[in-house]
Amino acid sequence: MVDLIPRRNSPSPGLLGQRKPLGVVGGMGSLATAKFLEVLARKSRVERDQDHIPFVCLSAPNIPDRSQAILIGSDAPLRQILERAYWLEKAGCGAIAIPCNTAHLWATEIKQALSAQLIDMVEITRQVVEDSRGSEARTLRSISLGTSASMQHGLYAGLNNNNFGKQFSRSLTELQHEAVRIITDVKSGNVIDAQDKLTRLVHAARSFDPDKIILACSELSAICGDLADDNDIVDPINILADACIDWWTAGSHAFGHVGQAIMG
Amino acid sequence: MVDLIPRRNSPSPGLLGQRKPLGVVGGMGSLATAKFLEVLARKSRVERDQDHIPFVCLSAPNIPDRSQAILIGSDAPLRQILERAYWLEKAGCGAIAIPCNTAHLWATEIKQALSAQLIDMVEITRQVVEDSRGSEARTLRSISLGTSASMQHGLYAGLNNNNFGKQFSRSLTELQHEAVRIITDVKSGNVIDAQDKLTRLVHAARSFDPDKIILACSELSAICGDLADDNDIVDPINILADACIDWWTAGSHAFGHVGQAIMG
């Protein structure tokens, strides 16, 4: 039997069905990548293994630290992120997901570079947050917790973080410094400590009565547990998983009409 | 910048460092695959994102049900598992992990077919269980909980499941039927129910005073939570992650000597 099986260098329709799979640029970080894939599986709500979304996840984590690079004005990580995304395109992936908020500071460059669609976690999350207040979106009070680069470059800015009054900016800085310490704990494997610290950090953030608290780093999503179920918590990893499922479902509906166009 | 980046169709040394990554045949099932990648990340115990094990995970879940195929004497899933493993080999992976116990009923055929090493989850788990009793291994009392095919074909047989006396075989059948119901719950998304049922099933299995209870289906590993920390619980997904880390670490040591031979 073995000799009968052709050795292919990219997914074939037989291998992946008649649809191009999702491509996932992993490793930023590795625990966050696993959390995204777990959420994707849990949210898919299918009855059988065979009905889950096919994906190729390339986790080549030797990418320079995104936050440090941005803070010194370096684009070094962008080149490596694009290499991985190109590789996934070449492997036959029909859309690309990157479960890392900070990497989305380069979302414009990534979209310009790719042929495949980037399912833009930050853009979709911002829309979800804004829609959550409908016509009152302009007065939304949100607190974002993420890497230094994400915060300094306003990854989730425009969500009116400034509606808390003059006394808040110093407190916000303290909250965000603690978020960075928690992210470092997760990356270095101190998950239990990090979970306790995140619970306390969210409690402290809630003392300012925000409408939304955005877990703006996927390392925080990776350890947030049941926190993500609270109405005031926005977890971009959850939102990215929903968007990937929407992408797949839309293609499933389209497939009957344009199957040849989207065959792997 | 974008034009400067070559579009490669397989991982390059620059993309994956100088080492061939781990290849993961996913989708059997998707939640179990995510759990394996989570455990791999947690157990790696590294300080930085960049130090995690690079991997390519191909999750093309349209593989016929392994247990049903084996029960009717069909090898259909083997062909599709090999297609995925070949694809990972072609992509440059240096070893293959399959976080699915039942698929290992074909481990011999898979090893014969692959150029890359199969990190054999079942073989390593059997060794770990046998070693856990040292010279008394022959008298080890273990209960395996997994799919019908795994149980009927003795995936973890030889671990002396028969030391419980004559009255036990009927009870074992009942325990294993409940395990199959739990596996079905997990595959169909009823994770909360499945977790409660697994806790009760393990409690029932413990009433026979086994030395070890083997979670012989990765869907059980995916939902077992803290149970895997109990001394009498054997979680093959944990053991596979350890073996993958050992494979990577051994290569790291070897790399100084045979770097060229294992370059991606």
Side-chain angles (χ1 to χ4, degrees):
Chain A
M1 159 177 288
V2 172
D3 293 342
L4 297 177
I5 301 173
R7 292 175 177 248
R8 298 192 176 92
N9 66 358
S10 71
S12 67
L15 182 55
L16 293 167
Q18 291 186 298
R19 296 279 312 284
K20 289 189 173 186
L22 176 68
V24 180
V25 179
M28 300 184 288
S30 294
L31 189 63
T33 299
K35 177 61 183 280
F36 167 68
L37 295 175
E38 178 199 337
V39 174
L40 186 68
R42 285 179 182 264
K43 283 177 164 275
S44 291
R45 302 197 176 288
V46 296
E47 294 291 315
R48 314 176 310 144
D49 284 350
Q50 293 76 14
D51 296 332
H52 278 274
I53 296 176
F55 67 83
V56 181
C57 177
L58 172 59
S59 186
N62 55 322
I63 303 172
D65 183 89
R66 282 66 60 192
S67 189
Q68 290 178 22
I70 289 161
L71 293 175
I72 64 170
S74 165
D75 275 346
L78 171 60
R79 184 185 179 89
Q80 297 207 21
I81 291 166
L82 286 177
E83 271 198 322
R84 287 149 179 76
Y86 285 151
W87 186 88
L88 289 165
E89 275 190 338
K90 188 86 175 182
C93 296
I96 302 296
I98 306 177
C100 170
N101 290 265
T102 308
H104 283 72
L105 285 167
W106 290 293
T108 301
E109 292 85 343
I110 294 169
K111 289 176 186 176
Q112 287 174 350
L114 293 182
S115 308
Q117 171 191 0
L118 172 71
I119 300 178
D120 186 331
M121 177 170 67
V122 170
E123 181 180 65
I124 298 163
T125 298
R126 290 172 58 95
Q127 194 60 53
V128 167
V129 173
E130 287 166 1
D131 292 350
S132 70
R133 288 296 297 269
S135 61
E136 300 174 69
R138 283 192 197 75
T139 64
L140 190 81
R141 290 156 48 97
S142 71
I143 294 175
S144 304
L145 302 170
T147 62
S148 302
S150 296
M151 297 303 103
Q152 289 185 28
H153 289 259
L155 191 66
Y156 288 100
L159 297 177
N160 302 36
N161 292 355
N162 303 325
N163 290 346
F164 295 95
K166 293 179 179 176
Q167 301 309 313
F168 178 64
S169 62
R170 184 170 181 174
S171 303
L172 178 63
T173 302
E174 292 169 2
L175 293 174
Q176 294 181 337
H177 282 169
E178 177 62 6
V180 169
R181 286 189 286 269
I182 295 170
I183 293 163
T184 303
D185 280 345
V186 177
K187 290 185 184 294
S188 57
N190 302 321
V191 172
I192 304 301
D193 290 350
Q195 287 172 319
D196 294 341
K197 290 179 182 174
L198 180 59
T199 301
R200 291 196 294 271
L201 177 61
V202 167
H203 180 76
R206 282 172 171 159
S207 70
F208 296 95
D209 191 30
D211 298 303
K212 298 292 181 186
I213 298 170
I214 303 171
L215 303 180
C217 175
S218 56
E219 308 300 339
L220 301 181
S221 301
I223 63 161
C224 69
D226 296 341
L227 264 178
D229 300 332
D230 296 351
N231 288 336
D232 61 339
I233 300 293
V234 176
D235 178 2
I237 289 294
N238 269 327
I239 293 169
L240 177 62
D242 287 330
C244 292
I245 293 165
D246 290 345
W247 166 75
W248 181 255
T249 306
S252 300
H253 295 150
F255 185 67
H257 307 292
V258 293
Q260 294 308 312
I262 60 173
M263 276 182 70
Chain B
M1 159 176 284
V2 172
D3 294 341
L4 297 178
I5 301 173
R7 291 174 178 248
R8 300 190 176 93
N9 65 358
S10 71
S12 68
L15 183 54
L16 293 166
Q18 291 185 299
R19 295 280 310 284
K20 289 189 172 186
L22 176 68
V24 180
V25 179
M28 300 185 288
S30 293
L31 190 62
T33 299
K35 176 61 181 279
F36 167 68
L37 295 175
E38 179 200 336
V39 174
L40 186 67
R42 285 179 182 264
K43 283 178 165 275
S44 292
R45 301 197 177 286
V46 296
E47 294 291 316
R48 314 176 309 146
D49 284 350
Q50 292 75 13
D51 297 332
H52 278 273
I53 297 176
F55 66 83
V56 181
C57 177
L58 172 59
S59 186
N62 55 324
I63 304 171
D65 183 90
R66 282 66 58 191
S67 189
Q68 289 178 24
I70 288 162
L71 294 174
I72 63 171
S74 166
D75 275 345
L78 171 60
R79 183 185 177 88
Q80 296 207 20
I81 291 166
L82 286 178
E83 272 199 321
R84 287 150 179 76
Y86 285 152
W87 187 88
L88 289 164
E89 275 190 338
K90 189 84 173 183
C93 296
I96 302 296
I98 305 177
C100 171
N101 289 264
T102 308
H104 283 72
L105 285 167
W106 289 294
T108 301
E109 292 85 344
I110 294 169
K111 289 176 186 174
Q112 288 173 350
L114 293 182
S115 308
Q117 170 191 359
L118 172 70
I119 300 178
D120 186 332
M121 177 170 69
V122 170
E123 180 180 66
I124 299 164
T125 298
R126 291 171 57 95
Q127 194 59 52
V128 167
V129 173
E130 287 166 0
D131 292 350
S132 70
R133 287 297 297 271
S135 60
E136 301 174 66
R138 282 191 198 77
T139 63
L140 188 81
R141 291 157 47 97
S142 72
I143 294 175
S144 304
L145 303 170
T147 62
S148 302
S150 295
M151 297 304 103
Q152 290 186 28
H153 289 258
L155 191 66
Y156 288 101
L159 297 177
N160 302 39
N161 292 353
N162 302 325
N163 291 343
F164 295 94
K166 294 179 180 176
Q167 303 309 314
F168 178 65
S169 62
R170 183 169 182 174
S171 303
L172 178 64
T173 301
E174 292 169 1
L175 294 173
Q176 294 181 338
H177 282 169
E178 177 63 8
V180 170
R181 286 189 286 270
I182 295 170
I183 292 164
T184 304
D185 280 343
V186 177
K187 290 185 183 294
S188 58
N190 301 322
V191 172
I192 304 301
D193 291 350
Q195 287 171 319
D196 294 341
K197 290 178 181 175
L198 180 59
T199 301
R200 291 196 295 271
L201 178 61
V202 167
H203 180 75
R206 282 171 171 160
S207 70
F208 296 95
D209 191 30
D211 298 304
K212 298 291 180 186
I213 297 171
I214 303 171
L215 303 180
C217 175
S218 56
E219 308 301 340
L220 301 181
S221 301
I223 62 160
C224 69
D226 295 343
L227 265 178
D229 300 332
D230 296 351
N231 288 335
D232 61 339
I233 300 294
V234 177
D235 178 2
I237 289 295
N238 268 328
I239 293 169
L240 177 61
D242 286 332
C244 291
I245 292 165
D246 290 345
W247 166 77
W248 181 254
T249 306
S252 299
H253 294 151
F255 186 68
H257 307 294
V258 294
Q260 294 307 313
I262 59 173
M263 276 182 71

